[in-house]
Amino acid sequence: MRFALASGLLLCVLCGSAQSQTAASTAPHPANATTLPVVSVSGVQPGPGLWKISKDGHVMWVLGTLSPLPEKMQWQSRDLAQVIAHAQVILQSPKVTLKVNTGFFGKLFLLPSAYSARKNDDGKTLQQVLPAELYARWLPLKQNYIGDDRGIERWRPIFAAQELYKKALKGNGLSGSGGIPTVIDGLAKQYGVTQQPTDYQLVIDKPRDALKAFKSSGLDDVGCFGRTLDAIEKDMSTMTQRANAWATGDLATLRQLPDSHRRDACIAAIAGAGFAQQLGIDDVPARLQAVWLATARTALQNNTQSFAVLPMDELLSPTGYVSTLKAEGYTVQSPDEAEDDGAAPAGSAARPAEISPSH
């Protein structure tokens, strides 16, 4: 049984554990990223083309997802409906799930402890635990995106940063998922295709001990907090450009624009803390990759056509999931390469079903 509260405590490990840096993330930051006003696209958009992985006559079509995406976009992929209609299985996007070994009443008793773990030690405020320069930057951003919320002033920096980031995305017309899961779920039900999870399940045998370890870990999350402020102040235009590029199917721009390093800083803060080694979550990304690769190999072996969802980073990275399959002898084609070869998803000439995500 999934335990959302524990998931929240480990949020910064889990929210990025399926993603590696893209090859483009080392590119220089655009000089005008802080001054260029960018408006997120809206209306019906085609999204990116599908990647093709094949071996011995078996094909897996892969959709690369991105976060954030334009909130008011209505996504209607040209090929997706036909691919899913002809697929025998859908591999869901890789993610970590938590299993907490305690009963219902045990979960209830954990609530106060979990709530307190979100707060700074000894009731300290952000002003007391942050460098003065960072706190001065926090105040106007908090006022702009969160408003007059005194309670958040006592949160640990990593949790305050995550809340500010979510509010900032919404304030800039962006959405965490863009409604992509809703579209895929709808098509899977429409065509009766089984969805296969690719989760790595993290088991917490002693949740009370886990909470104690988290609260006493001496978590150094100031770097995560500062990088989040950087992302909101300087990278929002770039994030919007990336979101627009995904929506319009502009793969070249996605390759060129750097991703924010906010996620990396927050993951490092968690993974580097003592409790991460104690709970066995310091190597979750590698475990998650192993689960997805094993599931993908099985799907490619047992099905003539399958469909998968992966973070775009894993498609573009030279060390990502798909590059690993390529090194193992699978043929991998990006959307532009597939078009050049005349390869198209089965039945793509037919009109796809019109399904738009709801927000």
Side-chain angles (χ1 to χ4, degrees):
M1 179 176 181
R2 297 179 188 178
F3 188 30
L5 193 56
S7 178
L9 291 178
L10 303 173
L11 178 63
C12 289
V13 170
L14 308 186
C15 70
S17 58
Q19 309 205 11
S20 60
Q21 275 186 306
T22 68
S25 64
T26 57
H29 205 289
N32 59 351
T34 59
T35 58
L36 235 171
V38 180
V39 178
S40 59
V41 299
S42 60
V44 177
Q45 299 294 336
L50 302 179
W51 294 64
K52 181 183 178 183
I53 303 174
S54 58
K55 189 175 185 180
D56 299 330
H58 293 204
V59 177
M60 175 182 289
W61 295 97
V62 185
L63 171 71
T65 58
L66 189 71
S67 182
L69 288 173
E71 185 176 27
K72 296 182 179 180
M73 171 191 69
Q74 292 180 318
W75 178 53
Q76 186 176 312
S77 169
R78 180 186 62 187
D79 299 324
L80 186 66
Q82 298 306 322
V83 166
I84 291 180
H86 290 80
Q88 288 83 57
V89 67
I90 295 172
L91 270 60
Q92 296 177 333
S93 187
K95 65 179 181 295
V96 177
T97 58
L98 295 179
K99 179 181 179 182
V100 179
N101 286 337
T102 184
F104 174 75
F105 288 105
K107 290 180 173 66
L108 289 181
F109 288 127
L110 283 172
L111 282 170
S113 296
Y115 180 76
S116 65
R118 188 177 62 178
K119 296 183 178 181
N120 289 310
D121 296 335
D122 302 324
K124 291 182 179 179
T125 65
L126 287 173
Q127 186 173 15
Q128 292 173 307
V129 300
L130 290 173
E133 178 268 335
L134 274 185
Y135 187 73
R137 291 170 58 194
W138 153 263
L139 285 176
L141 291 173
K142 175 204 168 188
Q143 186 60 41
N144 186 28
Y145 293 113
I146 298 177
D148 188 17
D149 182 348
R150 296 183 180 180
I152 199 172
E153 290 290 334
R154 297 192 179 276
W155 287 15
R156 286 177 179 247
I158 199 166
F159 292 110
Q162 182 66 18
E163 182 67 14
L164 177 65
Y165 182 73
K166 290 192 299 182
K167 298 289 187 183
L169 291 185
K170 186 172 182 62
N172 284 274
L174 298 172
S175 163
S177 71
I180 304 308
T182 302
V183 175
I184 294 172
D185 287 345
L187 289 171
K189 293 176 182 177
Q190 179 178 341
Y191 294 110
V193 184
T194 299
Q195 296 196 65
Q196 174 69 48
T198 61
D199 303 352
Y200 169 71
Q201 188 175 75
L202 180 64
V203 180
I204 304 295
D205 289 317
K206 298 179 179 179
R208 289 182 182 275
D209 291 344
L211 286 170
K212 288 180 181 178
F214 181 86
K215 288 191 285 187
S216 62
S217 63
L219 185 66
D220 183 12
D221 52 357
V222 173
C224 166
F225 188 90
R227 190 62 194 90
T228 300
L229 299 190
D230 290 342
I232 296 171
E233 292 172 336
K234 303 174 183 178
D235 297 340
M236 196 58 68
S237 291
T238 302
M239 283 190 281
T240 303
Q241 287 176 310
R242 282 172 55 83
N244 289 348
W246 186 98
T248 58
D250 186 354
L251 187 59
T253 296
L254 280 176
R255 292 182 189 276
Q256 294 170 3
L257 288 178
D259 191 8
S260 169
H261 294 282
R262 181 198 70 87
R263 186 191 305 112
D264 298 333
C266 294
I267 292 174
I270 294 286
F275 83 96
Q277 287 80 14
Q278 180 179 336
L279 298 180
I281 62 175
D282 51 322
D283 61 346
V284 163
R287 298 183 190 187
L288 185 60
Q289 181 181 29
V291 170
W292 189 90
L293 287 172
T295 308
R297 295 185 194 106
T298 300
L300 277 160
Q301 180 178 349
N302 297 340
N303 302 283
T304 56
Q305 180 161 307
S306 52
F307 172 73
V309 182
L310 273 179
M312 185 64 75
D313 289 356
E314 296 298 346
L315 293 167
L316 298 178
S317 171
T319 58
Y321 292 12
V322 172
S323 292
T324 301
L325 289 178
K326 186 174 182 179
E328 293 175 359
Y330 292 84
T331 300
V332 177
Q333 292 176 292
S334 65
D336 41 9
E337 291 171 335
E339 288 178 4
D340 291 341
D341 287 351
S348 62
R351 181 176 178 82
E354 296 184 4
I355 300 180
S356 297
S358 56
H359 299 284

